[in-house]
Amino acid sequence: MISKSIHGIHHVTAITGDAQRNIDFYVNSLGLRLVKLTVNQDDPTSYHLYYGDELGRPGTILTFFHWPDAPRGRRGNSEVIATSFLIPENSVKYWIDRFKSRQIEFRGPHKRFEEQVITLYDPDGLGLELVTHGSAQDRSVNVWREGPIPTEQAIRGFHSVTLSEEGYERTASVLTDELGFTPTSQEGNRFRYEISNVDGVSLGGEESGRANIVDILCLPYKQQTVIGIGSVHHVAWRTPTDEQQMVLRRNIVRAGLNATPVIDRFYFHSVYFREPGGVLFEIATNPPGFTVDEKAEDLGTGLVLPPWLESMRNDLEKVLPRLELPKKEDVLKKKRDTKEN
Ligand code: ZN
């Protein structure tokens, strides 16, 4: 049966002004894997960086456009105001100690929906959270085992995203009627929606409880956002097949929203539309994924170009800034040093 529902978050794309500092923070401090270094397909003279679990599985992928000349973002309504990673319930102290020792400012932990939340900003000012949730146990597949964080404490992909909106009903109706979310809880001005089943059937296996939460935070008096460095550019929802993506697209258009045609992003296929509250959404297919042009062990160790840009490699390498990438040798060394238990 063709589903009328997305399965959860596919990726979150944000904007950085400093690609090297970005790599250092997400790989060395947060322990994500750089799974792809490529260029922005719409502007090949700028980098597009992808982080995630060991394979960059949908539900774990945080990506950045490197736009050093963009204006600074201004927080406000109509944006993804927080991108939240899932951590195990017993790892809060580990992360707090880690942030203290690395002089990374944070707040918390504070309690929200029975979960513990640590809030922080990345070096560009992007709003991040680490959130504990029982589902972390089932998501150990989403750990980057060769990263610097011990497996027991490591990030397990996304927990959720939070949208800041003036009101919530029109956004909520797109979430529930077109994307398949169910309202599950409310705390003050925060409204939570989850994908728990698709067309009445529980999502099983790896898909169950994976990055399937979105919160709407109603902030009626805040200014509108200006998207720039330190902002999320868009959030993408995942769908397993091209057929289901077409059904979702048709329903979105029927709901009166403008949607792009399907765009081939090489690692997935994409449809973009703006939800009524102003946040840019994307529907992205799970396949083909990041191993389509690199072996799993080589992911993120060099600049990769889509085939139609390969002939421009020499020119692009001249204009793209040099970056120090995580070394394959370091990964292999960690692998040797880590005792399997
Ligand atoms: Zn995207």
Side-chain angles (χ1 to χ4, degrees):
M1 192 169 87
I2 302 273
S3 168
K4 299 192 291 286
S5 173
I6 56 108
H7 286 194
I9 299 169
H10 184 284
H11 65 267
V12 174
T13 291
I15 301 165
T16 179
D18 186 331
Q20 187 64 60
R21 194 175 61 179
N22 190 261
I23 291 171
D24 295 344
F25 179 79
Y26 285 98
V27 174
N28 299 338
S29 293
L30 292 192
L32 304 184
R33 184 179 191 187
L34 180 68
V35 290
K36 195 67 67 179
L37 176 71
T38 183
V39 292
N40 187 327
Q41 290 184 11
D42 302 324
D43 171 17
T45 62
S46 67
Y47 281 123
H48 193 173
L49 304 120
Y50 292 80
Y51 304 92
D53 68 7
E54 58 174 347
L55 295 177
R57 291 180 180 88
T60 74
I61 310 160
L62 177 62
T63 99
F64 285 89
F65 297 140
H66 178 224
W67 288 343
D69 300 326
R72 285 207 64 78
R74 186 181 75 183
R75 264 184 283 283
N77 279 326
S78 308
E79 68 170 326
V80 175
I81 204 160
T83 300
S84 306
F85 294 104
L86 175 66
I87 56 168
E89 282 168 324
N90 58 4
S91 70
V92 170
K93 185 179 177 304
Y94 171 87
W95 282 102
I96 285 175
D97 290 346
R98 183 172 182 83
F99 293 149
K100 280 182 184 162
S101 72
R102 300 177 83 86
Q103 277 102 45
I104 295 169
E105 278 185 49
F106 66 94
R107 280 183 305 163
H110 55 268
K111 207 170 172 194
R112 195 168 72 202
F113 295 124
E114 301 302 311
E115 298 159 352
Q116 296 207 76
V117 181
I118 304 170
T119 59
L120 68 154
Y121 295 98
D122 87 351
D124 285 300
L126 183 72
L128 302 175
E129 295 177 339
L130 301 187
V131 182
T132 66
H133 191 277
S135 64
Q137 281 182 349
D138 307 323
R139 288 184 59 194
S140 49
V141 67
N142 291 140
V143 171
W144 167 225
R145 281 166 209 286
E146 277 83 56
I149 314 288
T151 304
E152 308 83 68
Q153 280 90 20
I155 284 173
R156 283 142 164 76
F158 293 125
H159 168 274
S160 59
V161 289
T162 300
L163 315 178
S164 59
E165 307 270 14
E166 193 165 20
Y168 70 96
E169 281 97 341
R170 288 194 306 149
T171 299
S173 79
V174 170
L175 291 175
T176 55
D177 300 351
E178 313 311 330
L179 301 183
F181 282 93
T182 307
T184 52
S185 39
Q186 182 196 347
E187 211 174 80
N189 56 345
R190 181 179 290 268
F191 299 80
R192 174 157 291 186
Y193 301 83
E194 298 184 38
I195 300 280
S196 46
N197 58 60
V198 169
D199 305 322
V201 179
S202 287
L203 283 168
E206 270 189 28
E207 282 294 78
S208 159
R210 175 147 64 104
N212 62 341
I213 298 172
V214 54
D215 286 354
I216 301 178
L217 189 62
C218 286
L219 300 167
Y221 306 114
K222 277 199 86 170
Q223 61 199 356
Q224 280 294 111
T225 185
V226 176
I227 301 290
I229 290 172
S231 305
V232 168
H233 186 271
H234 64 267
V235 55
W237 311 107
R238 68 179 182 272
T239 186
T241 66
D242 293 302
E243 291 76 19
Q244 298 197 4
Q245 182 181 51
M246 287 313 291
V247 171
L248 286 158
R249 184 184 183 282
R250 197 179 62 217
N251 292 344
I252 288 158
V253 170
R254 274 192 193 149
L257 300 168
N258 268 332
T260 66
V262 176
I263 300 172
D264 183 1
R265 293 307 190 191
F266 199 61
Y267 305 111
F268 41 85
H269 305 146
S270 300
V271 168
Y272 301 84
F273 66 101
R274 209 168 279 282
E275 57 85 21
V279 181
L280 186 59
F281 280 2
E282 173 183 345
I283 309 284
T285 56
N286 290 345
F290 295 109
T291 50
V292 70
D293 59 359
E294 278 182 305
K295 285 189 286 191
E297 61 264 37
D298 294 336
L299 291 175
T301 55
L303 176 65
V304 178
L305 298 172
W308 59 90
L309 291 174
E310 197 54 57
S311 63
M312 289 170 64
R313 179 177 281 271
N314 283 345
D315 295 332
L316 290 173
E317 284 181 342
K318 273 179 212 146
V319 291
L320 291 162
R322 288 235 172 280
L323 294 177
E324 179 111 12
L325 299 181
K327 289 193 187 67
K328 202 170 158 183
E329 300 87 83
D330 295 347
V331 169
L332 294 173
K333 183 173 180 302
K334 166 92 194 275
K335 217 171 190 169
R336 276 201 308 274
D337 293 350
T338 305
K339 291 205 176 71
E340 292 293 330
N341 47 15

